[in-house]
Amino acid sequence: MLKTPASFTPLMAPQDHPDPLSFLFHGGRLLVREHDLALPDAATLDRIGLDPANVQPVGLLGERYCQAGWLEHEELPQGYAWRSLRSLFADFDEELLGLAGRAAQIAEWARTHRFCGACAHPMARVAHERSFKCGHCGHLAYPRISPAMMVLIRKGDAVLLAMHVASPAKRFTPLAGFLEAGESIEEAIHREVYEEVGLQVTNLRYFASQSWPFPHSLMIAFTADYAGGEIRVDPTEIAEARWFGPNDEWPERVPHISVSSVLVDAHRPPGP
């Protein structure tokens, strides 16, 4: 599953390192070497003219320093390419992919908070925490994290799966939605389930959580039991929703990149 490696230690202050692991982005895409998907080395960073002001500390992978940054221009040296994180799921080193997700969020936060959102003066990195501070008005800006609930509804030996209108994969998955300001996760689950499929649920149980860098979500997965209602989809959000039981043909298995596939497979009937 896309996650931070156990050997990773976050850092708030930059370090000097002769050859750091550099996660560089442009338009949400990661810079990699075409033939082996390696990250750019120190010599390549010199050739592309990376602005030190566009680089932020990420942490240590073991003893290797990791940094995140962005390029203003799209032009690249020969042999390198921009790749979306989704396109790297099957081919990229698993540990580096998890760190790339973290680095992408840090780089985009830094890129979009160079100036104060309150008074428009330049922001400066705070040494002891992951934040920027405005030297003019004191406004603090932390990395944006957007919590989203996910829930698998159980009804006897069947579960509810839905195809979301905005889903890039067009697969049946658990219901999901972002929290509103002032909501608890539990309140969001009850609201989203009723809005999207017209059902009531009970017996909410936490399952797992996962950082999901598209662009800065925190997926918080639950199970719940059906409590009432008939399926009535919101066509602006849901293309189709239905119950999947032991005798139904389930959606095909997919690699455990996201907590969604882990949640579904934890309730999938035995068999292929």
Side-chain angles (χ1 to χ4, degrees):
M1 196 168 73
L2 185 66
K3 60 183 180 181
T4 302
S7 59
F8 173 77
T9 304
L11 292 176
M12 307 302 151
Q15 289 189 355
D16 289 327
H17 193 283
D19 190 24
L21 286 172
S22 299
F23 299 89
L24 302 182
F25 297 88
H26 177 82
R29 296 168 298 163
L30 178 67
L31 178 62
V32 293
R33 197 160 57 196
E34 289 184 288
H35 78 274
D36 61 358
L37 300 181
L39 297 173
D41 56 20
T44 303
L45 298 186
D46 289 339
R47 289 204 305 275
I48 62 179
L50 178 63
D51 186 347
N54 292 1
V55 179
Q56 294 292 320
V58 176
L60 297 173
L61 181 61
E63 297 183 358
R64 186 85 178 272
Y65 177 61
C66 307
Q67 60 185 11
W70 70 93
L71 294 176
E72 302 285 1
H73 56 83
E74 195 170 8
E75 297 77 19
L76 294 174
Q78 185 174 3
Y80 280 83
W82 296 110
R83 291 282 300 271
S84 72
L85 293 185
R86 289 184 186 275
S87 74
L88 295 171
F89 279 173
D91 305 315
F92 208 50
D93 176 85
E94 185 175 350
E95 286 195 337
L96 291 184
L97 185 62
L99 280 182
R102 178 183 287 248
Q105 296 176 72
I106 292 173
E108 185 62 8
W109 160 69
R111 187 186 73 83
T112 57
H113 287 80
R114 288 172 285 179
F115 299 95
C116 178
C119 71
H121 282 75
M123 301 282 273
R125 184 172 54 227
V126 177
H128 62 280
E129 63 178 8
R130 186 88 66 196
S131 67
F132 286 124
K133 185 174 183 179
C134 176
H136 180 74
C137 73
H139 175 66
L140 282 169
Y142 295 90
R144 180 176 176 182
I145 300 172
S146 302
M149 72 85 200
M150 177 180 293
V151 62
L152 189 74
I153 305 170
R154 302 178 296 201
K155 183 181 182 183
D157 56 3
V159 301
L160 185 88
L161 298 176
M163 186 179 296
H164 291 74
V165 171
S167 168
K170 300 303 178 186
R171 287 196 295 263
F172 281 93
T173 64
L175 296 177
F178 288 102
L179 274 66
E180 297 283 351
E183 271 188 329
S184 69
I185 301 170
E186 292 82 359
E187 289 169 336
I189 291 173
H190 288 289
R191 176 184 57 78
E192 286 281 357
V193 168
Y194 186 76
E195 289 178 355
E196 293 190 348
V197 295
L199 301 180
Q200 293 86 41
V201 293
T202 188
N203 194 29
L204 276 57
R205 293 289 183 269
Y206 172 77
F207 180 79
S209 66
Q210 179 189 29
S211 175
W212 192 241
F214 302 105
H216 37 63
S217 300
L218 174 63
M219 305 302 300
I220 309 162
F222 280 73
T223 61
D225 292 334
Y226 167 80
E230 297 295 329
I231 295 176
R232 171 190 46 77
V233 302
D234 175 359
T236 65
E237 296 283 346
I238 305 295
E240 183 182 356
R242 56 190 173 94
W243 299 103
F244 287 81
N247 298 321
D248 295 314
E249 181 179 352
W250 280 54
E252 65 176 324
R253 293 180 185 271
V254 296
H256 285 176
I257 296 295
S258 75
V259 68
S260 174
S261 59
V262 178
L263 179 59
V264 171
D265 282 355
H267 295 82
R268 186 184 293 270

